[in-house]
Amino acid sequence: MSTTETLVARGKQLAAGAGALATAVALGATLLAAPAQAAPGPAKPFGVVTAKTGLSQRQYPSTDSSVRGHLHHRAQVGLVCKVRTQSVGGNTVWYLTREERASWVAAKYVTNSGYVKYCKDVQRSRHEPNHAAKHAVG
């Protein structure tokens, strides 16, 4: 068996967890201490759309704002934070969604999974897009 085949065979043993320390010592590898895993934080809140006809995703928390997309009935959506603004069906809460292209949804038609912080209590970088034009020089 060639040296390469021996290393591959031993690498497979390492990956399988069988004799990992003995294999590493035999190969002369330097073992690095694995970083401690962070304790899991609170689960990120999500919502489920309750409106039978679905729900419009808006650019801003207002029905006058442009529609960015649509969520179907029972769709799950990640929630970043909430604000109180325009009333929809007697509910003034709107949620900022945790999607690639953040948008707003009326809380009247979303059942949330847990506590959602107010946007003023969340770091700005987490819920405001980074506009390159603001930082351009020239």
Side-chain angles (χ1 to χ4, degrees):
M1 185 182 285
S2 72
T3 305
T4 304
E5 291 172 340
T6 303
L7 290 175
V8 168
R10 289 186 180 176
K12 288 180 182 178
Q13 288 176 344
L14 227 171
L21 182 59
T23 304
V25 170
L27 291 172
T30 304
L31 295 177
L32 299 175
Q37 290 188 354
K44 293 182 179 181
F46 68 91
V48 177
V49 176
T50 59
K52 298 285 186 202
T53 58
L55 181 61
S56 294
Q57 296 173 287
R58 304 269 180 184
Q59 182 174 4
Y60 300 107
S62 167
T63 57
D64 295 331
S65 180
S66 61
V67 175
R68 283 193 160 178
H70 186 79
L71 296 169
H72 296 286
H73 177 64
R74 294 187 181 161
Q76 287 190 3
V77 62
L79 305 175
V80 175
C81 59
K82 64 185 174 184
V83 294
R84 288 196 179 274
T85 181
Q86 180 188 22
S87 177
V88 174
N91 188 335
T92 60
V93 175
W94 286 71
Y95 294 123
L96 179 62
T97 63
R98 189 177 58 237
E99 295 182 0
E100 186 174 320
R101 187 175 176 194
S103 58
W104 294 89
V105 292
K108 169 73 176 172
Y109 302 108
V110 176
T111 301
N112 63 337
S113 66
Y115 180 73
V116 180
K117 293 182 180 182
Y118 280 95
C119 291
K120 67 183 177 85
D121 297 329
V122 176
Q123 295 174 353
R124 273 192 195 278
S125 63
R126 295 192 65 197
H127 64 87
E128 285 186 0
N130 183 10
H131 296 290
K134 282 185 177 179
H135 306 291
V137 179

